[in-house]
């Protein structure tokens, strides 16, 4: 490490000395003391990694001279300290590393160089599904099915843990990656040799931001970008604007951290924070315990920010002690944070690009939905809002009720009520509140409605421990909220099937059914194919709506049910007070519980320990596998790089509108039997009951390519009147492909690829919003798409497209497909060339069926010079692999 700015200093803790790099040593270049703390973390990272190659003195000076009013477009490298992975996104990361080792062997290189160079932890948390519920045996039965369905994937991950260095796996039945990261994995301050520095992380899940609540800069990236970091490459980024979110006051009686985050999500989405950091400050921050901060930080992707950051302070230190961290480590966190100017200090107001303010006392109980997390609805307005939303689903008047097993199922019926997802199951206050509400409900003789599929999926084993200790588990069980597993279930789409009579009734009556979940995502088609309306809510409200059984209910004026004494019971009769919640938490939360739960976190249960693990430096891919296959990215790879060539004669494969999510592009839930992936699996002899989910099959490129653009709710404008995986074939008749006929997107892709025709996706605003799903880019590339033309992109998906060698182009301001008269039937030429530079304009020519042409300019959304290099090489992994091979 070089130190041209004399930033090196020493911090001593318990008579042990550590080297640190002080941001305030750069004060001659700017007012470092009033920098946002999150920018100071980036500055420290640049100082510590300054080598004149990846990180230069100019990068350091640019950060020190940060001007929040004129940030500009200055590229910097960011070298995170570690990487976290979940298994849906982590399996393809390990598959890619195995494929890179195979490619390195073909190039005659040293396969052991393809290895994580920084710490990487993978938590298996996304594979458990709610098949069984409402019984004491639910968790055991779901776990058994999880291992049966995912045995091949789990054996592969055990190979990775043995073959790769700096790589650890947290086995199934432990918890959700973000909660495990918060409660155990994150050191908050890292140590390498004698150098201590702020913890920083990128993760293959967009909700990696949860760790921002503990003062750790970290965010979600695509799997390919995470792999590059693991292999020593920096995240190339533009210095961000930082929006200051001032919090004052404290939450009022009855309001929860969930209500606060839904309020903030609505505010920040309305302001516009995409591509920006959000940093929380103000006297109200002190009123929020760290678990509340983590709840707010978790949903940074929903409000659009790269991070939602809370600096380290006394609450951080208290949380680290509570969760069983080593006492020396806890003291080190405080000492280093104070020495580097990273400690929260209300006396110093940071300089922000913009500032918003929220009085926490104004937060009221709320839900969000029915399709977007930013669409907050005050609880008091839910009944009226539902009436309006129902009309939006095409029901000007409610549908006729459908009789099912002795009851009537109606529009608005809550058919799924799930306490799920890292956002809220990480927070003891809302989990205890749910248990207390359940206890009061059971004592009054209330039950959940028979059509409601109830589930509780705690984010860690600790949750079960404190609910048991508080005597609340029995009440939750009494309402059907038995624990179904430890992992991300309903929020990721692993809700499992509805009972057949309920599902048939919804279809037969064309009912608009609802799900109420304590998650962070409620996008269309995500939770369950039979639930069109999905509402995010706090855990106690999830329990309440399971009892009410419908969203067509006014919680203020209408009873939630009739008690055992025949009297009406209202929500206010059940809602626990703040004092009750606090007293319960004080009784059951303790350091020993966390320490005991995490002492053997990597060992796993008996089922995990019994799994056989393949051995050897190279994984032996089985071509017949339906779970793990060698992807074709590196086929024919040479060390030399060909120059960038113009794109000629491209045809549109997909044309979509605004807010197309990565769930639309690459669904993670059920595989429909009639979809291209479903028919492919059936052709291989896989029974429908063994399909598993798209997320579980991310290690198989053949399934995932067929699953790209296969969301059942996708509306491709090139196949009007259809939903799902359809497009129209505009090529010549060829076998099953008929000119002008509707066919699957995959089959059309194959037809164009066979003719050597490049493909394009045309899109509206916020293309690729949602989860950091690398297969949304990988599948796009493997379908033959060579560029995407959109009005705007969500950050991670744009980066992932570049990382796969797909060109992201953006209409100029004021231009759209409609304003340019583009139908999607044109042939497109793009004047991309070997001399391109970041963010330049490129010319596009669209030629319609008559031969008429339209010429227009677009913005190249390759944002940095490093990304230009990635695109030239065909993607990030190709770039890294060539560098490793050349270094032999």
């Amino acid at each position: 490490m070089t130190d041209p700015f004399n930033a090196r200093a020493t911090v001593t803790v318990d008579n042990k000395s550590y080297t640190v790099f002080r941001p305030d040593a750069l004060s001659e270049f700017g007012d470092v003391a009033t920098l946002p703390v999150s920018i100071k973390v980036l500055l420290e990272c640049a100082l510590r990694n300054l080598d004149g190659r990846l990180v230069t003195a100019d990068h350091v000076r640019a950060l020190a001279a940060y001007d929040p009013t004129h940030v500009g477009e200055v590229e910097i490298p960011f070298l995170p300290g570690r990487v976290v992975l979940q298994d849906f996104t982590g399996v393809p990361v390990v598959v890619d590393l195995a494929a890179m080792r195979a490619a390195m062997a073909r190039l005659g290189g040293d396969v052991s160089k393809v290895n994580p160079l920084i710490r990487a932890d993978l938590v298996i948390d996304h594979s458990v599904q709610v098949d069984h519920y409402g019984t004491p045996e639910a968790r055991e039965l779901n776990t058994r099915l999880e291992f049966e369905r995912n045995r091949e994937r789990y054996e592969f991950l055990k190979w990775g843990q043995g073959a790769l260095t700096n790589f650890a796996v947290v086995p199934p039945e432990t918890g959700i990656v973000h909660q495990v990261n918060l409660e155990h994995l994150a050191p908050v301050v890292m140590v390498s040799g004698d150098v201590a520095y702020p913890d920083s992380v990128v993760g293959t899940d967009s909700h990696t931001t949860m760790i921002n609540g503990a003062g750790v800069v970290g965010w979600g990236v695509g799997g390919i970008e995470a792999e590059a970091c693991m292999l020593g490459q920096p995240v190339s980024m533009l210095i961000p604007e930082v929006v200051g979110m001032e919090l004052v006051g404290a939450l009022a009686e009855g309001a929860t951290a969930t209500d606060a985050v839904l309020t903030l999500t609505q505010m920040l989405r309305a302001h516009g924070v995409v591509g920006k950091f959000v940093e929380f400050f103000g006297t109200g921050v002190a009123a929020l315990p760290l678990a509340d901060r983590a709840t707010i930080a978790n949903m940074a992707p929903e409000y659009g920010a790269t991070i939602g950051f809370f600096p380290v302070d006394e609450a951080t230190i208290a949380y680290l002690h509570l969760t069983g961290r080593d006492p020396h480590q806890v003291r080190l966190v405080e000492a280093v944070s104070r020495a580097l100017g990273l400690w929260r200090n209300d006396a110093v107001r940071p300089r922000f690009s913009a500032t918003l303010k929220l009085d926490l006392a104004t937060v009221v109980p709320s839900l969000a939905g029915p399709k977007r997390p930013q669409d907050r609805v005050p609880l008091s307005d839910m009944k009226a809002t539902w009436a309006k939303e129902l009309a939006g689903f095409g029901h000007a008047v409610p549908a006729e009720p459908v009789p099912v097993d002795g009851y009537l199922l109606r529009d608005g019926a809550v058919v799924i009520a799930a306490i799920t997802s890292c956002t809220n199951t990480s927070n003891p206050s809302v989990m205890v509140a749910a248990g207390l509400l359940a206890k009061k409900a059971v004592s009054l003789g209330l039950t959940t409605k028979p059509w409601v599929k109830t589930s509780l999926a705690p984010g860690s084993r600790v949750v079960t421990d404190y609910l048991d200790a508080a005597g609340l588990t029995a009440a939750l069980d009494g309402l059907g909220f038995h624990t179904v597993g430890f992992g991300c279930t309903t929020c990721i789409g692993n809700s499992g099937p509805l009972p057949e009579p309920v599902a048939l009734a919804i279809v037969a009556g064309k009912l608009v059914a609802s799900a109420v979940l304590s998650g962070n995502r409620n996008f269309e088609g995500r939770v369950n194919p039979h639930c069109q309306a999905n509402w995010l809510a706090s855990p106690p409200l999830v329990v309440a709506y399971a009892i009410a059984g419908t969203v067509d209910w006014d919680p203020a004026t209408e009873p939630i049910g009739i008690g055992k004494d025949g009297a009406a019971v209202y929500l206010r009769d059940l809602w626990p007070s703040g004092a009750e919640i606090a007293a319960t938490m004080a009784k059951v939360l303790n350091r020993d519980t966390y320490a005991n739960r995490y002492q053997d976190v990597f060992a796993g249960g008996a089922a995990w320990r019994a799994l056989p693990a393949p051995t050897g430096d190279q994984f032996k891919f089985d071509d017949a596998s339906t779970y793990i296959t060698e992807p074709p990215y590196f086929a024919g790879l040479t060390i030399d790089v060909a120059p960038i060539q113009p794109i000629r004669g491209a045809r549109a494969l997909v044309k979509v509108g605004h807010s197309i999510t990565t769930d639309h592009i690459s669904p993670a839930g059920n595989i429909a039997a009639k979809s291209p992936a479903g028919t492919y699996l059936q052709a291989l002899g896989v029974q429908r009951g063994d399909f598993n989910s798209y997320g579980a099959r991310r290690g198989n490129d053949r399934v995932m390519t067929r699953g790209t653009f296969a969301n059942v709710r996708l509306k491709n404008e090139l196949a009007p009147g259809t939903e799902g995986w359809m497009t129209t074939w505009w090529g010549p008749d060829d076998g099953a492909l008929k000119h002008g006929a509707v066919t699957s997107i995959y089959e059309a892709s194959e037809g164009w690829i066979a003719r050597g025709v490049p493909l394009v996706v045309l899109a509206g605003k916020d293309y690729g919003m949602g989860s950091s799903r690398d297969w949304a880019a990988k599948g796009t590339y493997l379908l033959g798409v060579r560029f995407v033309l959109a009005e705007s992109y969500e950050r991670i998906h744009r980066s992932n497209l570049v990382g796969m060698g797909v060109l992201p182009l953006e209409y100029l301001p004021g231009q759209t497909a409609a304003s340019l008269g583009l139908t999607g039937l044109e042939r497109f030429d793009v004047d991309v060339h070997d001399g391109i530079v970041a963010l330049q304009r490129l010319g596009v020519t669209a030629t319609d069926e008559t031969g008429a042409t339209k010429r227009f300019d677009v913005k190249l959304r390759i944002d940095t010079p490093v990304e230009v290099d990635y695109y030239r090489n065909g993607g990030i992994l190709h770039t890294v692999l060539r560098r490793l091979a050349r270094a032999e």
Side-chain angles (χ1 to χ4, degrees):
M1 298 175 186
T2 60
D3 185 26
F5 298 105
N6 296 314
R8 193 186 301 261
T10 300
V11 169
T12 302
V13 178
D14 299 335
N15 297 318
K16 186 171 182 179
S17 295
Y18 298 88
T19 297
V20 296
F21 288 83
R22 293 171 30 251
D24 62 4
L26 278 295
S27 295
E28 65 178 287
F29 302 107
D31 186 3
V32 174
T34 61
L35 286 177
V37 175
S38 51
I39 296 297
K40 288 185 187 178
V41 174
L42 298 183
L43 176 55
E44 185 281 339
C45 180
L47 273 171
R48 177 169 36 85
N49 290 290
L50 178 59
D51 62 357
R53 185 178 64 87
L54 290 176
V55 184
T56 68
D58 286 342
H59 293 135
V60 173
R61 283 189 286 265
L63 284 163
Y66 181 82
D67 180 354
T69 62
H70 297 92
V71 176
E73 294 184 340
V74 180
E75 178 208 3
I76 58 166
F78 174 58
L79 290 152
R82 58 192 180 92
V83 172
V84 293
L85 316 162
Q86 43 99 326
D87 57 310
F88 269 16
T89 49
V91 164
V93 167
V94 182
V95 168
D96 288 352
L97 290 173
M100 289 178 72
R101 283 193 165 191
M104 179 68 91
R106 290 193 294 270
L107 290 172
D110 181 358
V111 297
S112 67
K113 288 195 171 185
V114 180
N115 211 57
L117 299 179
I118 62 174
R119 173 183 163 187
D121 296 298
L122 185 148
V123 181
I124 300 176
D125 67 337
H126 274 51
S127 296
V128 61
Q129 180 170 297
V130 189
D131 290 285
H132 297 274
Y133 69 99
T135 68
E137 299 81 23
R139 181 177 67 82
E140 180 184 348
L141 294 171
N142 288 330
T143 299
R144 188 181 304 163
L145 283 172
E146 176 189 354
F147 272 82
E148 288 174 2
R149 290 168 175 155
N150 298 287
R151 181 182 183 88
E152 190 176 338
R153 297 170 66 242
Y154 291 176
E155 290 175 352
F156 172 68
L157 289 175
K158 287 193 80 170
W159 167 81
Q161 188 169 27
L164 303 171
T165 59
N166 287 329
F167 179 69
V169 175
V170 176
E173 297 186 278
T174 303
I176 298 173
V177 56
H178 312 304
Q179 192 162 344
V180 173
N181 190 22
L182 185 73
E183 293 178 351
H184 180 71
L185 297 177
V188 184
V189 164
M190 302 188 74
V191 176
S192 178
D194 70 340
V195 178
Y197 52 95
D199 183 10
S200 59
V201 61
V202 294
T204 57
D205 189 295
S206 50
H207 295 101
T208 300
T209 54
M210 185 170 180
I211 203 61
N212 303 160
V216 176
V217 167
W219 60 84
V221 297
I224 48 182
E225 197 170 12
E227 292 166 54
C229 290
M230 290 163 64
L231 294 166
Q233 299 302 301
V235 173
S236 179
M237 60 184 290
L238 300 176
I239 297 178
E241 292 184 19
V242 183
V243 174
M245 186 71 236
E246 183 176 10
L247 302 179
V248 298
L251 291 173
E253 184 70 30
T256 68
T258 311
D259 304 317
V261 73
L262 294 180
T263 302
L264 287 162
T265 298
Q266 183 183 45
M267 288 180 64
L268 290 163
R269 266 289 172 187
H271 177 77
V273 294
V274 172
K276 302 175 184 179
F277 284 9
V278 170
E279 184 164 315
F280 294 89
F281 74 105
T283 55
V285 173
L288 292 175
L290 190 135
D292 288 10
R293 301 177 191 184
T295 300
I296 293 167
N298 178 287
M299 284 186 70
E302 280 65 53
Y303 44 84
T306 304
I307 64 172
F309 183 77
F310 291 82
V312 174
D313 65 4
E314 291 86 354
T316 318
I317 301 305
Y319 183 81
L320 293 175
H321 175 76
L322 170 67
T323 50
R325 265 60 170 221
D326 178 77
H328 176 82
Q329 177 67 24
V330 176
R331 289 189 285 272
L332 180 66
V333 169
E334 179 167 355
V336 170
S337 299
R338 289 185 182 277
L340 299 184
L342 307 179
W343 189 265
R344 187 177 69 83
N345 182 0
D346 288 339
V348 177
R349 187 182 180 94
R351 294 176 290 120
F352 297 114
S353 301
T355 303
L356 286 77
K357 186 174 184 178
L358 174 65
D359 183 349
L360 292 170
T362 65
V363 171
V364 297
S366 303
L367 294 88
K371 295 181 181 180
R372 301 190 307 175
Q374 64 262 40
D375 295 332
R376 184 182 68 89
V377 181
L379 179 61
S380 58
D381 293 347
M382 267 297 290
K383 186 177 176 76
T385 299
W386 171 246
K388 296 176 184 176
E389 292 291 348
L390 187 58
F393 284 106
H395 287 203
V397 295
E400 286 294 319
V402 180
V404 181
D405 293 343
Y407 56 82
L408 293 176
L409 201 65
R410 306 174 186 272
D411 278 334
V414 174
V415 296
I416 289 178
I419 301 174
T420 179
S421 161
C422 45
T423 311
N424 292 292
T425 59
S426 65
N427 193 322
S429 67
V430 291
M431 297 300 290
V432 166
L436 290 171
L437 189 148
K439 189 174 184 179
K440 292 185 181 185
V442 169
S443 72
L444 293 172
L446 298 182
T447 60
T448 55
K449 295 297 186 288
W451 55 82
V452 185
K453 182 174 184 177
T454 48
S455 61
L456 167 61
S460 81
R461 292 271 190 166
V462 174
V463 177
T464 300
D465 292 336
Y466 65 66
L467 289 177
D468 286 347
L472 300 177
T473 300
L476 287 163
D477 289 352
L479 294 179
F481 285 94
H482 298 78
T483 296
V484 295
F486 295 92
C488 189
T489 53
T490 301
C491 190
I492 192 62
N494 287 359
S495 58
L498 296 179
E500 189 174 15
V502 174
L504 291 174
I506 292 171
V507 174
K510 297 182 179 179
L511 301 177
V512 181
S514 284
V516 180
L517 64 153
S518 67
N520 42 45
R521 293 273 164 86
N522 56 345
F523 300 133
E524 191 176 21
R526 179 184 178 95
V527 171
N528 187 283
H530 292 106
C531 294
Q532 288 182 265
N534 303 297
W535 305 89
L536 305 181
S538 64
L541 281 181
V542 172
V543 177
Y545 272 96
I547 297 170
T550 180
V551 294
D552 189 15
W553 165 59
D554 185 346
T557 63
E558 297 177 352
I560 194 172
I562 304 300
K564 58 188 176 184
D565 59 0
V569 179
Y570 292 84
L571 181 59
R572 58 181 174 269
D573 301 325
L574 305 180
W575 201 264
S577 69
E580 288 178 275
I581 295 169
T584 304
M585 289 170 58
K587 183 174 65 174
V588 301
L589 286 176
N590 61 78
R591 176 180 172 85
D592 288 345
T593 301
Y594 286 91
N596 291 338
R597 274 297 174 194
Y598 282 109
Q599 62 181 346
D600 294 317
V601 69
F602 298 106
W608 175 260
R609 294 194 300 271
L611 281 178
T615 58
D617 287 341
Q618 288 185 248
F619 183 77
K620 297 177 178 63
F621 288 102
D622 180 357
D623 202 50
S625 171
T626 61
Y627 277 98
I628 306 295
T629 54
E630 183 174 2
Y633 316 133
F634 309 115
L637 179 75
T638 61
I639 291 183
D640 296 327
V641 182
I644 296 171
Q645 299 292 332
I647 298 171
R648 297 287 180 249
R651 302 298 300 264
L653 183 67
V654 174
K655 184 174 183 286
V656 287
H658 303 317
S659 301
I660 294 299
T661 71
T662 50
D663 285 319
H664 286 108
I665 305 168
S666 182
N670 296 329
I671 300 173
K674 294 182 180 179
S675 69
T679 55
Y680 170 74
L681 289 172
Q682 289 175 86
L684 294 177
V686 179
Q687 300 300 308
R688 289 180 62 178
D690 297 324
F691 275 9
N692 213 324
S693 66
Y694 282 114
R697 291 191 180 273
R698 283 186 182 180
N700 186 314
D701 62 277
R702 298 157 202 179
V703 171
M704 296 306 295
T705 304
R706 289 169 170 82
T708 305
F709 295 109
N711 187 300
V712 295
R713 299 296 180 195
L714 180 76
K715 295 180 178 64
N716 183 3
E717 295 173 15
L718 298 182
T722 69
E723 280 189 318
W725 45 86
M726 311 310 291
T727 192
T728 302
W729 172 251
W730 291 112
D733 289 356
D734 183 6
L737 293 170
K738 304 298 182 184
H739 181 80
V742 172
T743 187
S744 75
I745 288 170
Y746 178 77
E747 288 169 327
S749 160
E750 282 196 308
W752 289 123
I753 289 173
R755 288 164 174 77
V757 176
L759 298 173
V760 55
V761 171
L762 303 175
K765 296 176 182 177
D766 298 327
Y767 183 69
M769 64 187 294
S771 302
S772 55
R773 195 159 295 162
D774 58 335
W775 263 108
K778 289 178 176 178
T780 297
Y781 168 77
L782 291 177
L783 284 176
V785 174
R786 291 299 167 259
F787 73 98
V788 176
L789 178 54
E791 292 178 45
S792 64
Y793 295 87
E794 198 79 352
R795 175 185 61 86
I796 298 174
H797 186 59
R798 183 210 62 81
S799 174
N800 282 349
L801 288 172
V802 178
M804 284 307 301
V806 177
L807 198 66
L809 303 177
E810 195 168 276
Y811 295 104
L812 298 182
Q815 291 187 341
T816 65
S819 72
L820 292 167
L822 301 179
T823 65
L825 304 186
E826 300 86 355
R827 292 173 173 80
F828 294 87
D829 298 335
V830 181
D831 296 335
V832 62
H833 52 83
D834 202 50
I836 58 169
V837 296
L839 297 169
Q840 75 171 89
R841 289 191 178 190
L842 293 176
V844 176
T845 302
T847 305
D848 68 17
E849 293 173 297
T850 70
T853 62
K854 294 185 182 74
R855 173 81 178 179
F856 55 96
D857 284 349
V858 296
K859 184 178 183 179
L860 173 64
R861 283 305 312 276
I862 292 180
D863 289 1
T864 67
V866 170
E867 287 187 340
V868 172
D869 195 32
Y870 291 157
Y871 179 70
R872 177 175 287 109
N873 275 273
I876 290 179
L877 302 184
H878 302 75
T879 306
V880 171
L881 191 54
R882 285 189 173 105
R883 287 177 182 170
L884 291 172
R886 290 187 189 114
E888 289 296 316

